[in-house]
Amino acid sequence: MVQSRRQRNLFLAFCLVPTFILFSVFTLYPLFNGLYYSFFEWSGASSLAEFVGFDNYRRLFSDEIIPRTILHDYFLVVTKVVGIMILSTFFAVALTQLKIKEAPFYRIVFFFPNIMSVVVIGILWMFIYNPSLGLVNSGLELIGLESWTKPWLGSEDWALPSLVLPSVWAGIGLFMLMLMGGISNISKSYYEAAEIDGATEWQQFWKVTLPLIWPQIKISILYIIITTLNGSFIIVQVMTKGGPNNSTHVMGSYLYEQAFVKYNFGYGATIGVMILILSLVTVLIMQFFMRREKVEY
């Protein structure tokens, strides 16, 4: 069907304008509004907001808790990227290459945590880490390692590492399916040719599978980074609320505390600007280091 230029433009406008409006309302407006209020001293409840210029930013650089929150966020980023990518890649290769009959069932099992609310996951793991009734301490006692039992979420040394396991557990399924999709699109002839050349299964993985699913791996890593820097505060709020003694505060949870607990909305907006800048810089740096020539097949 031949369409006039006017019809094509109307069709494009019909598709793009509603999306742009939603993007403006739910992304651009909060972004610029947060940047605006970062220059004000405002409780969030009062109709009066006092302009303080860069005072909130000076306070940000002198706040002793801020460096700790940044360190905690990047600790979660590194551990989640390593844990999720290793496990999701292992399970993706196993379920596609080993021809396991129960593969569809395992896909559902691994993906199940992704359909659960983060709040539900946090509450579930709070019970698992419970010092008296939790599965972790009970399991350690069962195998005779009573000296290893700890109040996991109540220890300044172990509270933050304890958040890694539920975060990794909840993220494996989604990225496993992404990698499985990439592996399934690889032609079997490549593996047959590699096998004829004498390549072992381990060599086939490094020389054939990994390079050809690199786009999916790259997207997965960037997605984990973005969601961790911007969304890890949820699991923190549910499981530890930043404690004990600020040992698990991340940037998002500290923002929540300042804005919605202490009613320092101006300072909370300033922390939000910091999160945005660090997220953008981190993603740009990772894209630079992960760039490579495209492998075609």
Side-chain angles (χ1 to χ4, degrees), residues 120-178:
V120 174
I121 292 173
I123 294 174
L124 172 64
W125 280 87
M126 285 177 66
F127 282 106
I128 293 175
Y129 283 130
N130 186 284
S132 303
L133 305 174
L135 292 177
V136 176
N137 281 352
S138 298
L140 291 173
E141 292 174 357
L142 185 65
I143 60 177
L145 297 175
E146 292 87 353
S147 60
W148 289 23
T149 59
K150 295 177 177 63
W152 299 97
L153 299 179
S155 168
E156 291 188 25
D157 295 328
W158 287 97
L160 185 64
S162 297
L163 299 178
V164 174
L165 192 56
S167 301
V168 171
W169 176 75
I172 292 174
L174 174 63
F175 301 104
M176 181 193 73
L177 292 180
M178 290 178 61

Side-chain angles (χ1 to χ4, degrees), residues 77-99:
V77 166
V78 172
T79 52
K80 285 180 65 176
V81 167
V82 173
I84 291 176
M85 293 312 302
I86 290 177
L87 291 174
S88 60
T89 303
F90 171 78
F91 290 126
V93 172
L95 294 179
T96 52
Q97 304 292 83
L98 299 183
K99 299 179 182 180

